[in-house]
Amino acid sequence: MHWSRHVMVLVAALACSGRVSAFMRHSRVSQSAFSSSSKKVLGAGIRRQKPKVSSDSLVRLVERLQKEEGKHLDIRFGAMQLQATIAEQETYEPQLPPVFPLQGKDPTEEPPRMRFAPSPTGSLHVGGARTALYNWLVAKKGQLDFPESESGFVLRVEDTDLARSTKESEQSVLADLTWLGLNWDEGPTDTIEHSKYGPYRQSERGNIYVQAADKLLEEGKAYRCFCTTEELEEMKAQQEAAGIPPRYDGRWRDAPEEEVNKMLEDGKPFTIRFKVPENSRVVIEDVVRGTVGWDAEATVGDFILLRSNRVPVYNFCVAVDDALMGISTVVRAEEHLTNTVRQALVLDALDAPRPKYAHCSLILGEDKQKLSKRHGATSCDQFRLDGFLPDAMINYLALLGWNDGSANEIFTRDELIDAFDLGRVVKSPSVFDMEKLKWVNSQHLKMLSLPDIVQLVKQQFEFEDMLKDGVDDSDLAFINMSYAATALARERMQTTKDAVLNAKTVFGYDLPTTFNDVSDAEAKSMIEQGNFYNLATRILSDFESGAFPIPDASNAMDTFQSDIVESAEKPKPSEFAGSYKKYMKTLSKEIGVKGKNLFHPVRLALTGEMSGQEVTQQLAILVMGSADDSCIDAGKAGVVSVSERMDRLKAFCDSIPEEFRAPKAVEKKSSEKAAKGGNAKAPESGSSETTTTQVVEKDPKDTYEGPPITALDIRVGRITKVWEHEEADKLYCEEIDVGEEEPRTVASGLRPYMKAEDMEGKLVLVLCNLKERKMVGFPSHGMVLCASNSDHTDVRLVNPPIDAKVGERITIPDFNFEGEDAEPFAENKVGKKKVFEKIAPHLVTSKYGVPEFLGRPFMTSAGVCTSAVPEGTVA
């Protein structure tokens, strides 16, 4: 409830005796709707500044005095008398006009005037936001088509439910609409509107509803009903007992005038009921649902227009307002479909044209039940807090029941206005898919510049409460942290919140306390192979001696320059990145490990994770987050500094069993060793004796004589679209983002092996420097790499790590992929010299499914590539 709606009336009522409408702000109101007397009832209609306290207490006080002490019984929403001095004050009151704006016109042929009419009883949720969006889109298109017309998007607040409506909820809904960019052309303000169509709060339009009810009474289309609550309940019970659908039986419909006047003279309370015409039928042509009809008399009976407390009912207000505001089309949820019966009857009785109707189906959760809080975030404000973009939200909301007839799913705001058509809204329910929303959001994030994303990420740091007290939006440390967090997570970001949550993960250190606490099977297996202990203890030793490279907090941002600065030339690695790379090469040489046996243990030791972004960037942002002058509150963000990590790592290493502190030996039969020239004594005939020895196997790189692996331009790509080739039953046509301005089109023979829906959105490896060629008429520019078993009955995609960057080139350990000599061959050279055909026999998968070249794994900045096919081939 709002103070301004009641307080003056209640205060005056406590001081005076009399009658005036508390619901309606008016100075002079015809009383024929409420009394047979010709005496005029005057209302205050006084507006005040909103007090700082609620009027609920005054309302409750009056109700208590009426109930417990029998005082002020003449005070109701319907009315009280005030002294003439108050009543005579002149205030503006909306009036029922003699002619409705669209009277005599066909609303379907008029420039669209659309309305969204929320009840301020809670937050704006997904369903309401979609309704607002559809109305907004039609209105905006109408304004483009009819620039000199009154076409527009009207926001009307339906706050007649005074017990539940709050100013706070109204402000929340308006704020959510503003965030979505659904700005209204006409709507509520803090003062009563003097516009042609306002006011836009139903609580400020009470005079109009009274006049409309008065008009229907005078024309014999409505009547007073004096039934008590007990009589109505008894009526309902009798009908249910007889198996009749409960509805009002019309006992006061044709009551004698003398009897009505007697009840009025006795001061009996009454409602105003609508007189449903006998044998009436309501039929509408719904844009979404087609022809819909009802037997009005059997469906609703004579329904109430004004309650006994003089408050108008919802359907009466809606019908009157739609007519007075010239609404041409009503777009709303299907749950309002049955309301159309009452509203259409009222409109017909008022001789007002009916608008066109479009009732959209409900939005369901993934369990096919009506979307609710149990399905997760449903309020628009929560999506804002979770890092979704308003343009992405309206893009996705538009798709919940509509499409433009193409396969396109990403629309800008202007594209939606141009493409949207109510005729393409489907009547089947839509399912809200959070993962699809995240994907749509990620596509819109790609449209934004880095500075724009950073501004949104800064907000997320504040939402997550990770900042020190007093940090200002312009603080350099905060700006740098936001840029670093964005650069670190940008390739994998689906929401702006992801950048902050990722930074929080990087700040933390989840290495278990002891070896026995390790629950991750992959991490435990890796530690048990024995390389982790040697590498971790070496890092600990080098850290204590100062030999381990640590970023300098004063220039840690240098590590992110390649992701922040847009340049045609490849930027030089930062000083720290160069030092770290040099350190890793030395470590590999001195410990005698390389590839995944080097990178995985080091990553786990330094970050506590088995996968993630580049270790150098993780260490850089960690140093920024743990510096004394950092903007990050270490306690709130859970920052574990490098020195704290080293302490934990040392304790963990001490807990590793002795058997896992050295690389496992390779078991070979001694006879095999002897055959290779070993000195061990050969076993006697029939002996099963074996000897455990450390065997150094020959490196296949030493005998390889084919083209360099750097000749191939193999990049990480993301499949954005897949469809079946119209003329080839084994081919898929694909669009793949490989980091270029436009996606590549690629044809692949994967149709017999996997479903199109399982491929869309997947990260893949693409051989990019193959010349474009037609495959059954389809231009194919590249090849998706797959792993297959020996007889090619099992074919699977090769999978880059989920954190790999789209467009990055894969590398192979021990091969130099930098400099001019490492540039991939031109497309013609790869084809004419059959470079790939010569390299292909050496592209295989290990027994663990890792794609390899000469025993070395395919690597990305995020780690090793994998496949689901062990000991197979890659092509």
Side-chain angles (χ1 to χ4, degrees):
M1 268 183 220
H2 306 316
W3 176 283
S4 59
R5 298 181 193 162
H6 311 295
V7 66
M8 285 305 297
V9 172
L10 290 169
V11 170
L14 291 173
C16 315
S17 64
R19 303 176 57 129
V20 68
S21 169
F23 173 75
M24 299 166 288
R25 300 189 181 111
H26 52 285
S27 54
R28 307 182 191 275
V29 182
S30 172
Q31 184 65 2
S32 61
F34 305 133
S35 172
S36 61
S37 171
S38 62
K39 180 181 179 181
K40 290 187 176 181
V41 179
L42 304 176
I46 301 172
R47 291 190 64 85
R48 293 177 52 128
Q49 294 297 318
K50 181 180 177 183
K52 298 184 181 298
V53 296
S54 170
S55 65
D56 285 1
S57 58
L58 289 173
V59 175
R60 300 290 179 262
L61 172 61
V62 172
E63 290 176 348
R64 184 178 63 77
L65 291 173
Q66 289 175 331
K67 187 174 181 180
E68 297 178 3
E69 301 181 26
K71 295 180 180 179
H72 306 297
L73 295 179
D74 58 339
I75 300 177
R76 331 177 160 257
F77 282 104
M80 312 177 286
Q81 239 172 338
L82 288 182
Q83 295 176 351
T85 53
I86 298 178
E88 291 300 326
Q89 294 186 38
E90 292 296 329
T91 57
Y92 167 77
E93 292 300 338
Q95 304 293 316
L96 184 71
V99 179
F100 294 102
L102 297 181
Q103 200 154 350
K105 302 177 182 178
D106 182 353
T108 63
E109 296 180 358
E110 295 299 309
R113 280 181 60 80
M114 312 297 292
R115 55 85 159 170
F116 177 56
S119 297
T121 57
S123 302
L124 180 65
H125 290 266
V126 166
R130 183 189 64 173
T131 297
L133 171 63
Y134 283 4
N135 280 283
W136 184 84
L137 289 171
V138 176
K140 293 300 114 178
K141 193 168 187 177
Q143 289 175 333
L144 293 174
D145 294 340
F146 306 96
E148 302 301 321
S149 70
E150 291 185 328
S151 176
F153 177 53
V154 178
L155 179 62
R156 186 174 75 223
V157 178
E158 297 184 342
D159 57 352
T160 52
D161 186 349
L162 299 177
R164 298 176 58 219
S165 298
T166 67
K167 190 67 174 177
E168 292 72 24
S169 290
E170 178 186 312
Q171 292 171 344
S172 172
V173 170
L174 268 58
D176 288 338
L177 289 172
T178 301
W179 174 70
L180 287 170
L182 304 182
N183 298 318
W184 50 95
D185 301 296
E186 303 170 31
T189 62
D190 291 333
T191 59
I192 290 182
E193 299 280 347
H194 289 253
S195 66
K196 177 179 178 180
Y197 296 107
Y200 296 94
R201 292 188 185 92
Q202 287 184 341
S203 61
E204 297 169 355
R205 298 172 64 82
N207 196 44
I208 290 176
Y209 308 131
V210 173
Q211 293 178 357
D214 190 17
K215 172 181 169 66
L216 294 177
L217 271 174
E218 291 176 354
E219 296 175 355
K221 297 174 182 177
Y223 59 92
R224 299 179 184 85
C225 170
F226 294 90
C227 288
T228 65
T229 302
E230 292 74 20
E231 288 175 327
L232 293 173
E233 290 177 351
E234 181 182 356
M235 183 190 308
K236 179 180 179 182
Q238 290 175 350
Q239 291 172 339
E240 289 177 341
I244 303 172
R247 66 188 183 92
Y248 180 65
D249 63 6
R251 62 183 63 179
W252 281 94
R253 179 183 176 107
D254 298 310
E257 185 177 353
E258 296 78 10
E259 188 175 352
V260 172
N261 289 338
K262 177 65 168 62
M263 298 294 283
L264 289 171
E265 290 172 2
D266 292 343
K268 299 295 185 181
F270 59 87
T271 60
I272 304 297
R273 286 186 179 271
F274 182 81
K275 187 181 289 186
V276 176
E278 294 181 358
N279 302 316
S280 59
R281 181 172 177 78
V282 173
V283 179
I284 63 169
E285 289 298 325
D286 192 281
V287 179
V288 177
R289 322 197 85 74
T291 303
V292 185
W294 300 268
D295 180 338
E297 192 176 10
T299 303
V300 297
D302 290 353
F303 53 91
I304 295 174
L305 301 179
L306 296 179
R307 299 182 181 91
S308 60
N309 63 0
R310 313 306 195 254
V311 175
V313 299
Y314 168 79
N315 282 303
F316 183 47
C317 295
V318 170
V320 171
D321 289 344
D322 284 344
L324 288 179
M325 294 181 181
I327 302 303
S328 61
T329 305
V330 171
V331 180
R332 56 191 179 188
E334 66 173 322
E335 58 196 15
H336 290 284
L337 185 60
T338 55
N339 290 333
T340 310
V341 183
R342 294 174 175 84
Q343 293 167 20
L345 288 170
V346 170
L347 289 167
D348 293 348
L350 290 171
D351 195 24
R354 297 182 194 173
K356 181 168 58 176
Y357 291 97
H359 288 89
C360 304
S361 295
L362 296 177
I363 300 174
L364 307 179
E366 294 185 35
D367 59 357
K368 303 302 187 290
Q369 300 299 309
K370 184 179 178 181
L371 193 67
S372 65
K373 291 181 180 179
R374 71 176 182 274
H375 295 103
T378 59
S379 72
C380 290
D381 190 55
Q382 189 58 53
F383 288 111
R384 178 183 68 88
L385 295 174
D386 286 343
F388 289 91
L389 304 177
D391 279 4
M393 284 298 299
I394 69 166
N395 184 162
Y396 182 68
L397 290 174
L399 300 177
L400 291 176
W402 170 87
N403 66 79
D404 70 343
S406 73
N408 186 26
E409 292 185 302
I410 303 301
F411 296 87
T412 65
R413 195 173 292 259
D414 289 340
E415 289 170 345
L416 274 178
I417 293 172
D418 182 62
F420 187 78
D421 182 356
L422 279 175
R424 293 201 59 85
V425 175
V426 299
K427 61 182 178 181
S428 57
S430 301
V431 175
F432 189 89
D433 184 344
M434 182 63 77
E435 292 305 313
K436 179 68 171 289
L437 171 59
K438 289 180 179 179
W439 177 77
V440 171
N441 200 69
S442 70
Q443 302 308 302
H444 280 269
L445 276 172
K446 292 177 181 178
M447 301 180 195
L448 297 182
S449 66
L450 181 63
D452 287 341
I453 297 176
V454 168
Q455 280 300 116
L456 298 171
V457 169
K458 289 169 74 174
Q459 294 176 8
Q460 290 297 322
F461 270 112
E462 295 172 0
F463 295 159
E464 286 298 305
D465 192 25
M466 293 171 58
L467 302 176
K468 290 178 179 177
D469 294 339
V471 170
D472 187 80
D473 191 67
S474 61
D475 286 352
L476 180 60
F478 186 24
I479 295 172
N480 285 341
M481 176 59 68
S482 300
Y483 267 96
T486 304
L488 188 62
R490 190 175 185 184
E491 289 299 329
R492 60 179 289 187
M493 279 172 62
Q494 291 185 302
T495 69
T496 54
K497 188 175 185 177
D498 288 342
V500 175
L501 295 182
N502 179 71
K504 198 169 187 177
T505 298
V506 172
F507 289 149
Y509 187 62
D510 287 339
L511 185 73
T513 305
T514 68
F515 173 80
N516 291 332
D517 296 326
V518 178
S519 58
D520 184 279
E522 183 184 5
K524 194 155 195 170
S525 174
M526 184 264 291
I527 295 169
E528 289 174 347
Q529 291 175 12
N531 290 314
F532 177 84
Y533 181 84
N534 286 342
L535 290 167
T537 52
R538 171 63 181 271
I539 290 172
L540 286 168
S541 175
D542 289 344
F543 177 76
E544 291 179 1
S545 66
F548 183 79
I550 298 293
D552 184 347
S554 64
N555 62 2
M557 282 298 294
D558 289 351
T559 312
F560 301 97
Q561 289 307 303
S562 61
D563 296 293
I564 294 175
V565 178
E566 295 183 2
S567 173
E569 298 181 4
K570 186 176 181 179
K572 295 181 180 180
S574 66
E575 181 179 348
F576 166 64
S579 300
Y580 182 82
K581 184 176 182 180
K582 182 178 180 181
Y583 176 83
M584 291 295 287
K585 285 185 177 180
T586 301
L587 195 64
S588 173
K589 184 176 181 180
E590 294 182 2
I591 301 294
V593 291
K594 50 193 173 183
K596 64 180 181 181
N597 292 327
L598 170 68
F599 298 118
H600 282 190
V602 170
R603 176 180 290 277
L604 180 63
L606 296 176
T607 70
E609 306 286 344
M610 287 291 289
S611 63
Q613 295 93 0
E614 291 185 20
V615 172
T616 52
Q617 292 188 333
Q618 290 197 51
L619 290 177
I621 199 172
L622 172 63
V623 168
M624 292 170 64
S626 54
D628 291 338
D629 60 351
S630 174
C631 64
I632 298 297
D633 186 309
K636 294 178 182 178
V639 177
V640 181
S641 67
V642 175
S643 59
E644 291 175 310
R645 294 176 187 222
M646 294 299 107
D647 292 339
R648 294 191 192 181
L649 179 61
K650 185 177 186 307
F652 180 82
C653 288
D654 291 342
S655 73
I656 297 177
E658 199 68 38
E659 60 189 294
F660 303 134
R661 296 189 176 191
K664 285 187 176 180
V666 181
E667 289 191 353
K668 293 286 181 180
K669 294 232 178 147
S670 58
S671 57
E672 293 178 0
K673 184 180 177 183
K676 292 184 179 182
N679 297 324
K681 181 180 178 182
E684 296 179 4
S685 177
S687 170
S688 61
E689 177 187 352
T690 62
T691 305
T692 300
T693 60
Q694 191 79 17
V695 177
V696 179
E697 297 182 359
K698 195 168 185 180
D699 189 342
K701 180 183 177 185
D702 296 338
T703 57
Y704 175 71
E705 297 180 350
I709 186 63
T710 54
L712 303 182
D713 184 13
I714 302 176
R715 295 186 224 162
V716 175
R718 186 184 297 278
I719 301 176
T720 58
K721 185 178 178 182
V722 182
W723 66 98
E724 296 177 351
H725 196 296
E726 294 181 355
E727 300 177 21
D729 58 6
K730 292 186 178 180
L731 289 183
Y732 276 135
C733 301
E734 299 140 19
E735 283 188 0
I736 306 178
D737 179 3
V738 292
E740 299 171 338
E741 289 187 4
E742 299 292 334
R744 294 276 187 113
T745 56
V746 177
S748 66
L750 298 176
R751 198 161 155 189
Y753 303 103
M754 54 192 76
K755 297 178 180 178
E757 56 265 30
D758 294 336
M759 297 171 62
E760 282 196 3
K762 291 283 189 182
L763 286 179
V764 292
L765 294 186
V766 183
L767 179 57
C768 290
N769 56 337
L770 291 179
K771 190 174 182 180
E772 181 177 318
R773 61 193 180 103
K774 293 290 182 69
M775 295 189 67
V776 197
F778 181 77
S780 181
H781 193 188
M783 180 174 70
V784 177
L785 295 188
C786 296
S788 62
N789 59 1
S790 57
D791 58 2
H792 299 287
T793 57
D794 187 13
V795 178
R796 308 287 185 90
L797 296 171
V798 173
N799 304 310
I802 60 172
D803 301 330
K805 299 178 180 179
V806 170
E808 71 170 297
R809 189 181 178 194
I810 68 119
T811 60
I812 308 292
D814 298 331
F815 290 89
N816 182 17
F817 277 74
E818 297 182 359
E820 293 183 3
D821 294 340
E823 289 294 318
F825 286 4
E827 293 178 353
N828 287 341
K829 188 174 181 180
V830 170
K832 289 181 179 180
K833 295 188 177 292
K834 300 186 181 299
V835 172
F836 182 74
E837 287 84 343
K838 295 175 182 177
I839 294 177
H842 305 280
L843 302 178
V844 298
T845 58
S846 70
K847 65 179 181 179
Y848 301 110
V850 176
E852 297 179 338
F853 174 70
L854 303 180
R856 293 157 172 83
F858 286 24
M859 297 290 299
T860 71
S861 61
V864 177
C865 299
T866 59
S867 80
V869 181
E871 298 182 333
T873 58
V874 176

